[in-house]
Amino acid sequence: MAPRIYKSPLPDKPIVQRSIFTHQFSNFSKYPSEFPAYIDAQTGVTLNRGHIKDFALSFGYSLRNEKLAKRGDTVMMYSPNSICWPVVVFGAVAAGLRCTFANPASTADELAYQYKDSQAFLICTTRANLNTVQQMLTSKAVGVASKEDAERRIILLPDDFDWVLGTKKTDGEKPISKFTRLEDLLNLGRLKQEEQFQGVDAEQETVFLCYSSGTTGKPKGVETTHQNLTTVLDIVVSGFPPLSPTDDRMLAILPFYHIYGLVKLLLFPFLCGVSTIVLPNFDPVKFCESIQRYKITVTLIVPPVLVVMARHECVHQYDMSSLRIMFSGAAPLGGDLVRAVRSRLRPTNLPPLHIVQGYGLTETSPTTHLLPLLPAREWGDMTEESKYGSIGFLLPNLEARLVADDKDGHAKTDDEVVDAPEGERGEIWIRGRSVMKGYLNNSAANANAFYPHLSIPPSNPIPGSRWFKTGDIGVVDKDGFFWVVDRKKELIKYKGFQVPPAELESILLTHPKVADVGVIGVESTRESTELPRAYIVPADPSIQTLELVREVQEWVKTKVAKHKFLRGGASGKILRRHLKEQALKELAG
Ligand code: 4UW
């Protein structure tokens, strides 16, 4: 039977063959170079479009000409959000390098895993993260030869870009550093934009390596190519409500190291000529204060931010009237929460505040679906309210299927892949040019993640020709809108961050008092997130379980970044209740 393939209601965009750097700067002359590009929300220090181009090409020049890195090398960025990010990322890309991005809260062990796996050499980091970096580089796992060798790999990012711009108001001396500093690499020369991109194979060349566990196992390097990014940016532009450089400003609280923040907040606004106001993390007061101060119109968030907006008193202490759109993604968003935030933030005398969703994965670069602003577009008699909770329609250049059965991933022929009947649920499969090239050096994970195009030899896959299995269960309604209704894969999402159960389990198994363990996510409607919870079999059965739970919970905190802490109830009471529910379910089944 022919597969049931869903397409976008929007027309396809032409596929381009150019580097992501050329693409990012393709609209450069359309907007004045004095126009603010990235603004530090707390200090107001601003990099305009001209600065970004100038600094990126200068950093790229130094990387190449100071022999810090050669074409194809991987640079790691390990820093909270700051206005240094575009300089580092665009500069590294201009020099023909790959970038990998680490969670700024990563521990030395987590960092070592990614540093080695991505084969990174240079690491750009902040003064605050230096200790962890040095610990990582000199650890057994990485084992650099000497302290000097470790120091040679570090590029220190400025705490304060005022020094770099020469606009620092005090006459104090610049702090002395034994490390190469970003600012020292910004005045040695400048690449000519064109010369860097000869020989870029946009279809095949990997430029970003974000880390995702996919459907199972430990985090893996996701090979995102230039063409994945140029395609996703172009299709997002056509699905996103129109933005105006003069009227719109976007607030970046989502981390740039995660694909959602990276593409939608670091790359996308610059391409559209819109200013991005950068905060290092989410803090309710700073969030509201920044919306008032910079008259933010668009913000991209995760559902737990909306929970805060629905409850925190600070929303009434600041003027939030500039907000036009809040885009939520990375985890499910319920209609009740949308209603609660809308009525709280938006008195009826103001233009509407749209709270809509996007959907995607690290592996799809990321956006595949967006909910349009209704009824701003011509969508018959649909109202915005009727689509609360939907992830919207498929973006152009992509195809989707909802697969009811693929023999648990072992389907070998097209006949063995059964699509869900109309209106029924199935696993979302996606195909198109923005789907990743694959997981880095991991043929087993790639074999699980893709269903091949059977008429094309797997040794030479045409980009976008294979079906990527998302591990999410969805349905499509009569209007062609998609709804994510369940997750088939193991992944746990804590406030939009990935928590791979296999990673936590392998760490927990190294604890001497733990004989066996299983990690799951438990739903918290109050916080609108899942919470990671471990079930432990003690090595010594006579041990006090509650004490062990507490001990293990504290111990995990020394091993992993904050979002992976075990939060899903440590008390015996909660555990017992849950186990009882579990037992009842088993008996009923
Ligand atoms: N509803 C339910 C959703 C949703 C969702 C994601 O960490 P990753 O790999 O990637 C992300 C990407 C988020 C994102 C992408 C594009 C976009 O426009 C946007 O929105 C505004 C957000 O989180 O995790 C991927 C997994 O996260 C879940 C889902 O399980 C998916 O496989 N997920 N978005 N709207 N679940």
Side-chain angles (χ1 to χ4, degrees):
M1 212 166 63
R4 185 190 295 271
I5 295 180
Y6 297 92
K7 293 187 193 270
S8 174
L10 300 174
D12 278 356
K13 302 290 283 271
I15 295 291
V16 297
Q17 302 281 350
R18 59 186 178 199
S19 91
I20 183 61
F21 187 95
T22 308
H23 199 68
Q24 277 298 108
F25 288 87
S26 56
N27 283 339
F28 189 74
S29 53
K30 243 170 105 178
Y31 312 107
S33 50
E34 297 74 37
F35 200 82
Y38 301 90
I39 304 173
D40 181 319
Q42 297 178 94
T43 61
V45 174
T46 301
L47 296 182
N48 63 36
R49 293 178 63 80
H51 288 133
I52 295 297
K53 186 167 185 178
D54 200 27
F55 290 149
L57 291 172
S58 304
F59 182 49
Y61 173 93
S62 299
L63 287 169
R64 291 274 286 256
N65 292 282
E66 294 297 299
K67 309 256 180 302
L68 294 167
K70 52 184 193 320
R71 182 125 171 55
D73 281 356
T74 303
V75 176
M76 179 180 250
M77 182 68 168
Y78 177 53
S79 161
N81 281 8
S82 75
I83 58 174
C84 297
W85 271 79
V87 175
V88 171
V89 175
F90 299 163
V93 171
L97 311 185
R98 295 174 170 195
C99 302
T100 191
F101 312 99
N103 182 337
S106 292
T107 61
D109 287 349
E110 290 170 317
L111 204 59
Y113 171 82
Q114 187 174 339
Y115 184 78
K116 276 175 59 179
D117 191 75
S118 64
Q119 295 162 338
F121 183 81
L122 285 179
I123 174 161
C124 301
T125 195
T126 58
R127 206 169 288 278
N129 281 336
L130 256 182
N131 269 345
T132 317
V133 171
Q134 284 175 303
Q135 217 181 317
M136 180 276 282
L137 289 173
T138 50
S139 69
K140 243 200 237 143
V142 176
V144 293
S146 61
K147 219 168 137 228
E148 290 68 39
D149 186 11
E151 283 162 11
R152 212 161 54 84
R153 296 172 187 233
I154 295 171
I155 295 179
L156 194 58
L157 303 173
D159 291 332
D160 182 349
F161 229 92
D162 259 359
W163 284 119
V164 185
L165 296 171
T167 50
K168 186 87 186 163
K169 289 176 193 70
T170 70
D171 335 307
E173 284 291 307
K174 251 191 199 180
I176 296 180
S177 167
K178 61 184 170 194
F179 302 102
T180 307
R181 292 180 302 199
L182 179 69
E183 56 263 47
D184 299 334
L185 302 176
L186 299 183
N187 51 17
L188 304 177
R190 197 174 183 275
L191 294 173
K192 284 200 194 69
Q193 185 175 338
E194 313 77 59
E195 71 191 41
Q196 289 321 302
F197 311 116
Q198 291 157 5
V200 169
D201 178 349
E203 270 181 23
Q204 293 295 339
E205 190 164 326
T206 301
V207 59
F208 290 163
L209 286 167
C210 290
Y211 272 68
S212 164
S213 67
T215 47
T216 182
K218 291 194 178 182
K220 296 174 263 294
V222 172
E223 291 202 56
T224 304
T225 64
H226 288 272
Q227 193 173 72
N228 290 158
L229 293 166
T230 56
T231 306
V232 83
L233 286 164
D234 286 351
I235 64 181
V236 165
V237 169
S238 55
F240 214 83
L243 293 176
S244 142
T246 41
D247 300 337
D248 284 307
R249 281 154 306 277
M250 291 175 75
L251 182 59
I253 49 148
L254 295 177
F256 291 144
Y257 83 85
H258 184 253
I259 191 87
Y260 179 9
L262 183 68
V263 170
K264 299 284 277 281
L265 289 165
L266 193 77
L267 303 185
F268 173 67
F270 188 81
L271 183 67
C272 302
V274 169
S275 311
T276 307
I277 292 54
V278 181
L279 269 173
N281 48 33
F282 175 68
D283 168 88
V285 173
K286 285 188 187 144
F287 181 76
C288 296
E289 197 179 64
S290 302
I291 291 173
Q292 171 180 294
R293 176 168 170 197
Y294 296 100
K295 300 201 169 10
I296 299 293
T297 57
V298 180
T299 183
L300 275 73
I301 43 134
V302 288
V305 171
L306 290 174
V307 173
V308 175
M309 293 296 105
R311 298 213 187 108
H312 206 292
E313 78 269 7
C314 69
V315 300
H316 295 312
Q317 285 155 5
Y318 294 94
D319 177 4
M320 309 280 275
S321 61
S322 59
L323 257 193
R324 187 162 79 82
I325 309 170
M326 297 180 96
F327 258 98
S328 171
L333 173 65
D336 287 348
L337 185 55
V338 176
R339 263 183 290 273
V341 176
R342 279 193 73 174
S343 62
R344 192 143 190 262
L345 286 192
R346 192 50 46 101
T348 44
N349 58 345
L350 289 172
L353 166 66
H354 300 279
I355 302 178
V356 283
Q357 279 202 81
Y359 163 84
L361 304 87
T362 310
E363 290 83 346
T364 54
S365 312
T367 315
T368 61
H369 291 74
L370 283 177
L371 186 67
L373 306 190
L374 294 165
R377 285 173 180 268
E378 293 301 312
W379 294 106
D381 57 0
M382 276 181 264
T383 62
E384 194 164 302
E385 181 135 2
S386 70
K387 298 300 179 194
Y388 283 170
S390 162
I391 55 166
F393 55 70
L394 191 65
L395 289 176
N397 299 72
L398 292 170
E399 293 178 320
R401 287 170 82 169
L402 291 181
V403 173
D405 181 12
D406 71 338
K407 301 238 175 284
D408 277 338
H410 298 297
K412 291 277 177 294
T413 66
D414 288 342
D415 286 343
E416 289 180 342
V417 181
V418 181
D419 291 308
E422 205 173 320
E424 291 189 22
R425 47 204 274 161
E427 183 182 8
I428 304 174
W429 286 17
I430 302 281
R431 176 162 89 171
R433 296 270 174 164
S434 49
V435 174
M436 66 165 178
K437 184 170 156 186
Y439 295 114
L440 182 70
N441 300 329
N442 200 330
S443 47
N446 286 328
N448 283 333
F450 291 104
Y451 177 72
H453 194 302
L454 295 178
S455 55
I456 297 171
S459 53
N460 187 23
I462 295 175
S465 66
R466 299 169 299 169
W467 287 108
F468 171 73
K469 307 176 195 176
T470 64
D472 291 312
I473 306 290
V475 290
V476 180
D477 67 18
K478 63 176 185 10
D479 303 311
F481 282 60
F482 283 66
W483 302 70
V484 175
V485 292
D486 203 352
R487 196 183 294 142
K488 177 178 161 185
K489 56 188 168 188
E490 286 172 2
L491 179 67
I492 302 168
K493 279 278 176 114
Y494 175 70
K495 302 198 171 176
F497 294 106
Q498 290 200 4
V499 183
E503 188 191 359
L504 275 178
E505 286 165 5
S506 69
I507 292 170
L508 284 160
L509 281 174
T510 66
H511 191 286
K513 294 186 190 163
V514 173
D516 203 359
V517 61
V519 171
I520 59 163
V522 287
E523 200 69 42
S524 158
T525 15
R526 205 178 66 83
E527 290 187 76
S528 192
T529 186
E530 289 168 273
L531 304 172
R533 174 189 285 181
Y535 288 89
I536 293 164
V537 179
D540 171 1
S542 65
I543 205 160
Q544 273 289 330
T545 323
L546 196 54
E547 266 167 38
L548 178 62
V549 165
R550 294 225 172 93
E551 182 185 327
V552 166
Q553 209 169 14
E554 288 309 306
W555 177 81
V556 164
K557 290 185 184 166
T558 65
K559 299 278 173 197
V560 296
K562 217 169 159 185
H563 66 281
K564 297 181 202 157
F565 290 1
L566 298 172
R567 299 168 198 264
S571 88
K573 206 163 115 207
I574 294 176
L575 208 59
R576 274 202 299 279
R577 198 196 63 208
H578 187 84
L579 289 174
K580 201 166 154 185
E581 279 169 13
Q582 197 60 33
L584 285 173
K585 263 194 219 142
E586 277 166 25
L587 287 173

